Amino acid sequence: AGVVKELRVALGDKVKEGDNKTPEGIYFLEREIPKYRLSALHGAAAFELNYPNPFDRIHERTGHGIWIHGVDRENRMEKRFDTQGCVALSNNDVVELRKWVGDQRMTPVIIVDQIVPGQPLGVENAESPLGKRVYEWVTAWSSKDPEPYLSYYHPRFRARGMNFEGWSKYKRRLTRQYQSIQVGIDKLRIFRHGKYSVALFKQVYRSNKYGSDGWKRLYWTGEGPAVIDELITFRN
């Protein structure tokens, strides 16, 4: 996929709640904000981002309610940091954004303050090294050997109320209980940012006791053995 359009926005690098800065990273649209919740400052439309995402949480970044929205007057776009933490677009751009959005949870928004030469950014081919690591993770999961599978996970991983230690015990228990585990993925998309990457794909999971189908997002940091931060599964 190529670039559809470049948009001018106002940004900062968010660290804590109340700093009035915009987070940088890979985010997904959660929902369009209802009209009755918009003030004049939000312009023609607004969408909520999934901030803080798993990467933000393990790095103790706080805050909430980060939106992409329009403006009450177009000259606000001349002031780079006049957004109180949100992403401001011109009204024409935010209305056009609505046309591009299909399933909002599958629409990525990659936010950077500036493009750094040599730093990975944007959409990456599924045949890339990171794409191959995703398939290696799938193979490790399907092998029923929990140790290679768990070696991919970040030590500060959290999901379903479990930390890495709890997740490890849970997965080891399942591999003892299940006679077979088969995991397949389809429609893999890789999104890169200088800080981390996200793999989005459709997953089919089958065991002799349980099966599920859905879309999954995996957050990856670095290129080392402990790269997965957290996973989010939803149906479509």
Side-chain angles (χ1 to χ4, degrees), residues 22-140:
T22 304
E24 295 181 46
I26 303 171
Y27 298 97
F28 290 81
L29 301 183
E30 290 282 283
R31 62 193 178 104
E32 184 171 358
I33 305 300
K35 278 283 188 182
Y36 71 86
R37 290 193 57 193
L38 302 183
S39 70
L41 290 175
H42 298 127
F47 300 85
E48 184 176 2
L49 297 177
N50 68 325
Y51 176 89
N53 68 19
F55 180 88
D56 296 316
R57 289 197 291 270
I58 71 164
H59 289 85
E60 300 180 352
R61 294 176 180 266
T62 59
H64 65 281
I66 302 300
W67 296 0
I68 294 178
H69 62 75
V71 290
D72 55 338
R73 60 189 188 280
E74 293 299 326
N75 63 4
R76 279 188 65 195
M77 298 305 298
E78 302 300 324
K79 298 180 180 181
R80 190 179 181 199
F81 298 108
D82 190 33
T83 66
Q84 299 182 355
C86 291
V87 180
L89 302 176
S90 73
N91 284 317
N92 286 337
D93 285 342
V94 78
V95 169
E96 189 171 1
L97 177 63
R98 183 191 284 127
K99 300 176 183 178
W100 303 337
V101 173
D103 187 321
Q104 295 176 17
R105 297 165 301 173
M106 297 175 64
T107 302
V109 178
I110 303 175
I111 304 174
V112 294
D113 180 37
Q114 59 183 341
I115 297 176
V116 178
Q119 191 175 81
L121 180 67
V123 181
E124 187 171 274
N125 192 293
E127 302 301 319
S128 69
L130 183 55
K132 292 178 180 178
R133 288 187 64 77
V134 174
Y135 283 104
E136 290 169 359
W137 166 81
V138 170
T139 299

Side-chain angles (χ1 to χ4, degrees), residues 92-208:
N92 286 337
D93 285 342
V94 78
V95 169
E96 189 171 1
L97 177 63
R98 183 191 284 127
K99 300 176 183 178
W100 303 337
V101 173
D103 187 321
Q104 295 176 17
R105 297 165 301 173
M106 297 175 64
T107 302
V109 178
I110 303 175
I111 304 174
V112 294
D113 180 37
Q114 59 183 341
I115 297 176
V116 178
Q119 191 175 81
L121 180 67
V123 181
E124 187 171 274
N125 192 293
E127 302 301 319
S128 69
L130 183 55
K132 292 178 180 178
R133 288 187 64 77
V134 174
Y135 283 104
E136 290 169 359
W137 166 81
V138 170
T139 299
W141 189 3
S142 300
S143 71
K144 278 188 84 269
D145 183 349
E147 303 316 313
Y149 168 75
L150 291 170
S151 71
Y152 284 86
Y153 282 76
H154 194 285
R156 297 177 66 184
F157 168 90
R158 298 193 66 86
R160 303 181 191 177
M162 293 176 278
N163 59 14
F164 176 75
E165 182 179 0
W167 184 257
S168 299
K169 291 179 180 178
Y170 168 66
K171 286 297 183 178
R172 290 186 180 109
R173 183 172 67 252
L174 289 183
T175 56
R176 292 193 298 268
Q177 293 176 350
Y178 291 173
Q179 296 177 0
S180 63
I181 295 176
Q182 295 180 331
V183 184
I185 65 173
D186 189 21
K187 300 180 180 179
L188 172 62
R189 299 162 67 191
I190 304 289
F191 308 107
R192 299 296 301 268
H193 187 279
K195 299 177 181 179
Y196 59 94
S197 303
V198 177
L200 171 67
F201 52 88
K202 190 170 186 178
Q203 176 180 288
V204 177
Y205 175 89
R206 297 288 184 272
S207 73
N208 59 301

